[in-house]
Coordinates of all heavy atoms in Angstrom, one line a residue:
M836 N 97.0 64.8 68.4 CA 97.3 65.5 67.1 C 96.5 64.9 66.0 O 96.5 63.6 65.9 CB 98.8 65.5 66.8 CG 99.1 66.4 65.7 SD 100.9 66.6 65.5 CE 101.5 64.9 65.3
R837 N 95.8 65.7 65.2 CA 95.0 65.2 64.2 C 95.6 65.4 62.8 O 96.2 66.4 62.6 CB 93.6 65.9 64.2 CG 92.7 65.4 65.3 CD 91.4 66.1 65.1 NE 90.5 65.2 64.4 CZ 89.2 65.3 64.3 NH1 88.7 66.3 64.9 NH2 88.5 64.5 63.7
Y838 N 95.2 64.6 61.9 CA 95.6 64.8 60.5 C 94.7 65.8 59.9 O 93.5 65.7 60.0 CB 95.5 63.5 59.7 CG 95.6 63.7 58.2 CD1 96.9 63.9 57.6 CD2 94.5 63.7 57.4 CE1 97.0 64.1 56.2 CE2 94.6 63.9 56.0 CZ 95.9 64.1 55.4 OH 96.0 64.3 54.1
M839 N 95.3 66.8 59.3 CA 94.5 67.9 58.5 C 95.2 68.0 57.2 O 96.4 68.4 57.1 CB 94.5 69.2 59.3 CG 93.7 69.1 60.6 SD 93.5 70.6 61.5 CE 92.7 71.6 60.3
K840 N 94.4 67.7 56.2 CA 94.9 67.8 54.8 C 95.5 69.1 54.5 O 96.6 69.2 53.9 CB 93.8 67.5 53.8 CG 94.2 67.4 52.4 CD 93.0 67.0 51.5 CE 93.3 67.0 50.1 NZ 92.2 66.7 49.3
S841 N 94.9 70.2 54.9 CA 95.4 71.6 54.6 C 96.8 71.8 55.2 O 97.7 72.4 54.6 CB 94.4 72.6 55.0 OG 94.2 72.5 56.4
Q842 N 97.0 71.3 56.4 CA 98.2 71.5 57.1 C 99.3 70.6 56.4 O 100.5 71.1 56.3 CB 98.1 71.1 58.6 CG 97.6 72.2 59.4 CD 97.5 71.8 60.9 OE1 96.4 71.8 61.4 NE2 98.6 71.5 61.5
M843 N 99.0 69.4 56.0 CA 100.0 68.6 55.4 C 100.4 69.2 54.0 O 101.5 69.2 53.7 CB 99.4 67.2 55.1 CG 99.7 66.2 56.2 SD 101.4 66.1 56.8 CE 102.2 65.2 55.4
K844 N 99.4 69.8 53.3 CA 99.8 70.4 52.0 C 100.8 71.6 52.3 O 101.7 71.7 51.5 CB 98.5 71.0 51.4 CG 97.7 69.9 50.7 CD 96.5 70.6 50.0 CE 95.7 69.6 49.1 NZ 94.6 70.3 48.4
L845 N 100.5 72.4 53.3 CA 101.5 73.5 53.6 C 102.8 72.9 54.0 O 103.9 73.5 53.6 CB 100.9 74.3 54.8 CG 99.7 75.2 54.4 CD1 99.2 75.9 55.7 CD2 100.1 76.3 53.4
L846 N 102.9 71.9 54.8 CA 104.1 71.3 55.3 C 104.9 70.8 54.1 O 106.1 71.1 54.0 CB 103.9 70.2 56.3 CG 105.1 69.6 56.9 CD1 105.8 70.6 57.8 CD2 104.6 68.4 57.8
V847 N 104.3 70.1 53.2 CA 104.9 69.5 52.0 C 105.4 70.6 51.1 O 106.5 70.6 50.6 CB 104.0 68.5 51.3 CG1 104.6 68.1 50.0 CG2 103.8 67.3 52.2
R848 N 104.6 71.6 50.9 CA 104.9 72.7 50.0 C 106.2 73.4 50.5 O 107.0 73.8 49.6 CB 103.7 73.8 50.0 CG 104.0 74.9 49.0 CD 103.0 76.0 49.2 NE 103.2 76.7 50.5 CZ 102.4 77.5 51.0 NH1 101.3 77.8 50.5 NH2 102.8 78.1 52.2
D849 N 106.4 73.5 51.7 CA 107.6 74.2 52.3 C 108.8 73.4 52.5 O 109.8 73.8 53.1 CB 107.2 75.0 53.6 CG 106.1 76.0 53.4 OD1 106.0 76.5 52.2 OD2 105.4 76.4 54.3
N850 N 108.7 72.1 52.2 CA 109.8 71.2 52.5 C 110.2 70.3 51.3 O 109.4 69.4 50.9 CB 109.4 70.3 53.7 CG 110.6 69.5 54.2 OD1 111.1 68.6 53.5 ND2 111.0 69.8 55.4
K851 N 111.4 70.5 50.7 CA 111.8 69.7 49.6 C 111.9 68.2 49.8 O 111.6 67.4 49.0 CB 113.2 70.3 49.1 CG 113.1 71.7 48.5 CD 112.4 71.7 47.2 CE 112.5 73.1 46.6 NZ 111.6 73.3 45.5
E852 N 112.3 67.9 51.0 CA 112.5 66.4 51.4 C 111.1 65.8 51.3 O 111.0 64.7 50.8 CB 113.1 66.3 52.8 CG 113.3 64.8 53.2 CD 113.9 64.7 54.5 OE1 114.4 65.7 55.1 OE2 113.9 63.6 55.1
L853 N 110.1 66.4 51.9 CA 108.8 65.8 51.9 C 108.2 65.8 50.5 O 107.4 64.9 50.2 CB 107.8 66.6 52.9 CG 108.1 66.4 54.3 CD1 107.2 67.2 55.2 CD2 107.9 64.9 54.7
Q854 N 108.5 66.8 49.7 CA 108.0 66.8 48.3 C 108.5 65.6 47.6 O 107.8 64.9 46.8 CB 108.5 68.1 47.6 CG 107.8 69.3 48.0 CD 108.3 70.6 47.4 OE1 109.1 70.5 46.5 NE2 108.0 71.7 48.0
G855 N 109.8 65.3 47.8 CA 110.4 64.1 47.1 C 109.8 62.8 47.6 O 109.5 61.9 46.8
R856 N 109.6 62.7 48.9 CA 109.0 61.5 49.5 C 107.5 61.3 49.0 O 107.1 60.2 48.7 CB 109.0 61.5 51.0 CG 110.4 61.5 51.6 CD 110.6 60.8 52.8 NE 109.5 60.0 53.3 CZ 109.6 58.7 53.5 NH1 110.8 58.1 53.4 NH2 108.6 58.0 54.0
L857 N 106.8 62.4 48.9 CA 105.4 62.3 48.4 C 105.4 61.8 47.0 O 104.6 60.9 46.6 CB 104.7 63.7 48.5 CG 103.3 63.8 48.0 CD1 102.4 63.0 48.9 CD2 102.8 65.2 47.9
K858 N 106.3 62.3 46.1 CA 106.3 61.9 44.7 C 106.7 60.4 44.6 O 106.1 59.7 43.9 CB 107.4 62.7 44.0 CG 107.5 62.4 42.5 CD 108.4 63.4 41.8 CE 108.5 63.0 40.4 NZ 109.4 63.9 39.6
V859 N 107.6 60.0 45.4 CA 108.0 58.6 45.4 C 106.8 57.7 45.9 O 106.6 56.6 45.3 CB 109.3 58.3 46.3 CG1 109.5 56.9 46.6 CG2 110.5 59.0 45.7
L860 N 106.2 58.1 46.9 CA 105.0 57.3 47.4 C 103.9 57.2 46.3 O 103.4 56.1 46.1 CB 104.3 58.0 48.6 CG 104.9 57.7 50.0 CD1 104.2 58.6 51.0 CD2 104.6 56.2 50.3
M861 N 103.7 58.3 45.7 CA 102.6 58.3 44.6 C 103.0 57.4 43.5 O 102.2 56.6 42.9 CB 102.4 59.7 44.1 CG 101.7 60.6 45.1 SD 101.6 62.3 44.7 CE 100.6 62.2 43.2
E862 N 104.3 57.4 43.1 CA 104.8 56.6 41.9 C 104.9 55.1 42.3 O 104.4 54.2 41.6 CB 106.1 57.1 41.4 CG 106.0 58.5 40.7 CD 107.3 59.1 40.4 OE1 108.4 58.5 40.7 OE2 107.3 60.2 39.8
E863 N 105.5 54.8 43.4 CA 105.8 53.4 43.8 C 104.5 52.7 44.2 O 104.4 51.5 43.9 CB 106.8 53.4 44.9 CG 108.2 53.7 44.5 CD 109.2 53.5 45.6 OE1 108.8 53.2 46.8 OE2 110.4 53.7 45.3
M864 N 103.6 53.4 44.9 CA 102.4 52.7 45.4 C 101.3 52.9 44.4 O 100.2 52.3 44.6 CB 102.1 53.2 46.8 CG 103.2 52.9 47.8 SD 102.8 53.4 49.4 CE 101.9 51.9 50.0
N865 N 101.5 53.8 43.4 CA 100.4 54.1 42.5 C 99.1 54.5 43.2 O 98.1 53.9 42.9 CB 100.2 52.8 41.6 CG 99.3 53.2 40.3 OD1 99.4 54.4 39.9 ND2 98.6 52.3 39.8
I866 N 99.3 55.5 44.1 CA 98.1 56.0 44.8 C 98.0 57.5 44.5 O 98.9 58.2 44.1 CB 98.2 55.8 46.3 CG1 99.5 56.4 46.9 CG2 98.2 54.3 46.6 CD1 99.7 56.3 48.4
E867 N 96.8 58.0 44.7 CA 96.4 59.4 44.5 C 97.2 60.3 45.6 O 97.5 59.8 46.7 CB 94.9 59.6 44.7 CG 94.1 58.9 43.6 CD 92.6 59.1 43.9 OE1 92.2 60.1 44.6 OE2 91.9 58.3 43.3
R868 N 97.3 61.5 45.3 CA 98.0 62.5 46.1 C 97.3 62.5 47.5 O 98.0 62.6 48.5 CB 98.0 63.9 45.5 CG 98.7 64.9 46.3 CD 98.6 66.3 45.6 NE 99.3 67.3 46.3 CZ 100.6 67.6 46.2 NH1 101.4 66.9 45.4 NH2 101.2 68.5 47.0
T869 N 96.0 62.5 47.6 CA 95.3 62.6 48.9 C 95.7 61.4 49.8 O 96.0 61.7 51.0 CB 93.8 62.5 48.7 OG1 93.4 63.6 47.8 CG2 93.0 62.7 49.9
F870 N 95.8 60.2 49.3 CA 96.2 59.1 50.1 C 97.7 59.1 50.4 O 98.1 58.7 51.5 CB 95.8 57.8 49.3 CG 94.3 57.6 49.1 CD1 93.8 57.5 47.8 CD2 93.5 57.6 50.2 CE1 92.5 57.4 47.6 CE2 92.1 57.5 50.0 CZ 91.6 57.4 48.7
A871 N 98.5 59.6 49.5 CA 99.9 59.7 49.7 C 100.2 60.7 50.8 O 101.1 60.5 51.6 CB 100.6 60.1 48.4
L872 N 99.5 61.8 50.8 CA 99.6 62.8 51.9 C 99.3 62.2 53.3 O 100.1 62.4 54.2 CB 98.7 64.0 51.7 CG 99.2 65.1 50.7 CD1 98.1 66.1 50.5 CD2 100.4 65.8 51.3
K873 N 98.3 61.4 53.3 CA 97.9 60.8 54.6 C 99.0 59.8 55.0 O 99.3 59.7 56.2 CB 96.5 60.2 54.5 CG 95.9 59.8 55.9 CD 94.5 59.6 55.8 CE 93.9 59.6 57.2 NZ 92.4 59.6 57.2
A874 N 99.5 59.0 54.1 CA 100.5 58.0 54.4 C 101.8 58.7 54.9 O 102.4 58.3 55.8 CB 100.8 57.2 53.2
L875 N 102.1 59.8 54.2 CA 103.3 60.6 54.6 C 103.1 61.2 56.0 O 104.0 61.2 56.8 CB 103.5 61.8 53.6 CG 104.8 62.4 53.6 CD1 105.9 61.5 53.3 CD2 104.8 63.6 52.5
Y876 N 101.9 61.6 56.3 CA 101.6 62.1 57.7 C 101.9 61.0 58.7 O 102.6 61.2 59.7 CB 100.1 62.5 57.8 CG 99.7 62.8 59.2 CD1 100.0 64.0 59.9 CD2 99.0 61.8 59.9 CE1 99.6 64.2 61.2 CE2 98.6 62.0 61.2 CZ 98.9 63.2 61.9 OH 98.5 63.4 63.2
H877 N 101.4 59.8 58.5 CA 101.5 58.7 59.5 C 103.0 58.3 59.6 O 103.4 57.8 60.6 CB 100.6 57.6 59.1 CG 99.2 57.9 59.5 ND1 98.7 58.0 60.8 CD2 98.1 58.1 58.7 CE1 97.4 58.3 60.7 NE2 97.1 58.4 59.5
S878 N 103.8 58.4 58.5 CA 105.1 57.9 58.6 C 106.1 59.0 59.0 O 107.1 58.6 59.6 CB 105.6 57.4 57.2 OG 105.7 58.4 56.2
E879 N 105.9 60.3 58.8 CA 106.8 61.3 59.1 C 106.4 62.3 60.1 O 107.2 63.1 60.6 CB 107.2 62.1 57.8 CG 107.8 61.2 56.7 CD 109.2 60.7 57.1 OE1 109.9 61.3 57.9 OE2 109.6 59.7 56.5
V880 N 105.1 62.3 60.5 CA 104.6 63.4 61.4 C 104.1 62.8 62.7 O 104.5 63.1 63.8 CB 103.6 64.3 60.7 CG1 103.0 65.3 61.7 CG2 104.2 65.0 59.5
A881 N 103.1 61.9 62.6 CA 102.4 61.3 63.7 C 103.4 60.6 64.7 O 104.4 60.0 64.2 CB 101.3 60.4 63.3
D882 N 103.0 60.6 65.9 CA 103.8 59.8 66.9 C 105.2 60.1 67.0 O 106.1 59.2 67.0 CB 103.6 58.3 66.7 CG 102.1 57.9 66.8 OD1 101.4 58.5 67.7 OD2 101.7 57.0 66.1
G883 N 105.5 61.4 67.1 CA 106.9 61.8 67.3 C 107.8 61.7 66.0 O 109.0 61.6 66.2
G884 N 107.2 61.8 64.9 CA 108.0 61.7 63.6 C 108.9 62.9 63.5 O 108.8 63.9 64.2
K885 N 109.8 62.8 62.5 CA 110.8 63.9 62.2 C 110.2 65.3 62.0 O 110.8 66.2 62.4 CB 111.6 63.4 61.0 CG 112.7 64.3 60.6 CD 113.4 63.8 59.4 CE 114.5 64.7 58.9 NZ 115.2 64.1 57.7
F886 N 109.0 65.3 61.4 CA 108.4 66.6 61.1 C 107.3 67.0 62.0 O 106.5 67.9 61.6 CB 108.0 66.6 59.6 CG 109.1 66.4 58.7 CD1 109.4 65.2 58.2 CD2 109.9 67.5 58.3 CE1 110.5 65.0 57.3 CE2 110.9 67.3 57.4 CZ 111.3 66.1 56.9
Q887 N 107.1 66.4 63.1 CA 106.0 66.6 64.0 C 106.0 68.1 64.5 O 104.9 68.7 64.5 CB 106.0 65.7 65.2 CG 104.8 65.9 66.1 CD 104.7 64.9 67.2 OE1 105.8 64.3 67.6 NE2 103.6 64.7 67.8
A888 N 107.1 68.6 64.9 CA 107.2 70.0 65.4 C 106.8 71.0 64.3 O 106.1 71.9 64.6 CB 108.6 70.3 66.0
A889 N 107.3 70.8 63.1 CA 106.9 71.7 62.0 C 105.4 71.6 61.7 O 104.8 72.7 61.5 CB 107.7 71.3 60.8
Y890 N 104.9 70.4 61.8 CA 103.4 70.3 61.5 C 102.6 71.0 62.6 O 101.7 71.7 62.3 CB 103.1 68.8 61.5 CG 101.6 68.5 61.2 CD1 101.2 68.4 59.9 CD2 100.7 68.2 62.3 CE1 99.8 68.1 59.7 CE2 99.4 68.0 62.0 CZ 99.0 67.9 60.7 OH 97.6 67.6 60.4
Q891 N 103.0 70.8 63.9 CA 102.3 71.4 65.0 C 102.4 72.9 64.9 O 101.5 73.7 65.3 CB 102.8 70.9 66.3 CG 102.4 69.5 66.6 CD 103.0 68.9 67.9 OE1 104.1 69.2 68.2 NE2 102.2 68.1 68.6
A892 N 103.5 73.5 64.4 CA 103.7 74.9 64.3 C 102.7 75.5 63.3 O 102.3 76.7 63.5 CB 105.1 75.2 63.9
L893 N 102.3 74.8 62.4 CA 101.3 75.2 61.4 C 99.9 75.4 62.0 O 99.1 76.1 61.5 CB 101.2 74.3 60.2 CG 102.5 74.2 59.4 CD1 102.3 73.1 58.3 CD2 102.8 75.5 58.7
D894 N 99.7 74.7 63.2 CA 98.4 74.7 63.8 C 98.2 75.9 64.8 O 97.3 75.9 65.6 CB 98.2 73.4 64.4 CG 96.7 73.2 64.9 OD1 95.8 73.8 64.2 OD2 96.5 72.4 65.8
L895 N 99.2 76.8 64.9 CA 99.1 77.8 65.9 C 97.9 78.7 65.6 O 97.6 79.0 64.4 CB 100.4 78.7 65.9 CG 101.6 77.9 66.3 CD1 102.8 78.8 66.2 CD2 101.5 77.5 67.8
P896 N 97.2 79.2 66.6 CA 96.0 80.0 66.4 C 96.4 81.4 65.7 O 97.4 82.0 66.1 CB 95.4 80.3 67.8 CG 96.4 79.8 68.7 CD 97.4 78.9 68.0
K897 N 95.6 81.8 64.8 CA 95.9 83.1 64.1 C 95.2 84.2 64.8 O 94.1 84.1 65.3 CB 95.4 83.0 62.7 CG 95.8 81.8 61.9 CD 97.3 81.9 61.5 CE 97.7 80.8 60.6 NZ 98.2 79.6 61.1
E898 N 95.9 85.3 65.0 CA 95.3 86.4 65.8 C 94.9 87.5 64.8 O 95.4 87.7 63.8 CB 96.3 87.0 66.8 CG 96.5 86.0 67.9 CD 97.4 86.5 69.0 OE1 97.6 87.8 69.1 OE2 98.0 85.7 69.7

């Protein structure tokens, strides 16, 4: 599974918990949104994270 910025944006947009975590990451670590999204991916999605299934569902081929 690969990190895709567009998919992470969609996942965060649709999930209040991830929105809050993203905001906290940006404030506490003083990093830009792009880097915070990637950090959130690695902590919550990659390698069987809590939101992995939701992230993978966004990658379904469009017909």
Side-chain angles (χ1 to χ4, degrees):
M836 186 170 57
R837 285 184 98 161
Y838 169 77
M839 292 183 63
K840 184 178 173 181
S841 58
Q842 279 181 240
M843 268 312 284
K844 283 183 173 182
L845 288 173
L846 185 63
V847 170
R848 184 190 70 192
D849 296 336
N850 188 295
K851 293 288 184 192
E852 182 181 348
L853 288 176
Q854 289 173 14
R856 295 218 7 128
L857 180 65
K858 185 177 180 180
V859 168
L860 273 174
M861 290 171 61
E862 291 172 357
E863 287 184 357
M864 300 182 84
N865 194 26
I866 57 176
E867 296 176 19
R868 183 179 179 88
T869 303
F870 297 119
L872 277 171
K873 196 161 192 173
L875 197 60
Y876 168 81
H877 286 290
S878 67
E879 298 293 337
V880 176
D882 298 325
K885 180 178 178 181
F886 296 97
Q887 184 177 22
Y890 181 85
Q891 287 175 322
L893 294 172
D894 193 29
L895 295 175
K897 310 288 188 269
E898 292 184 20

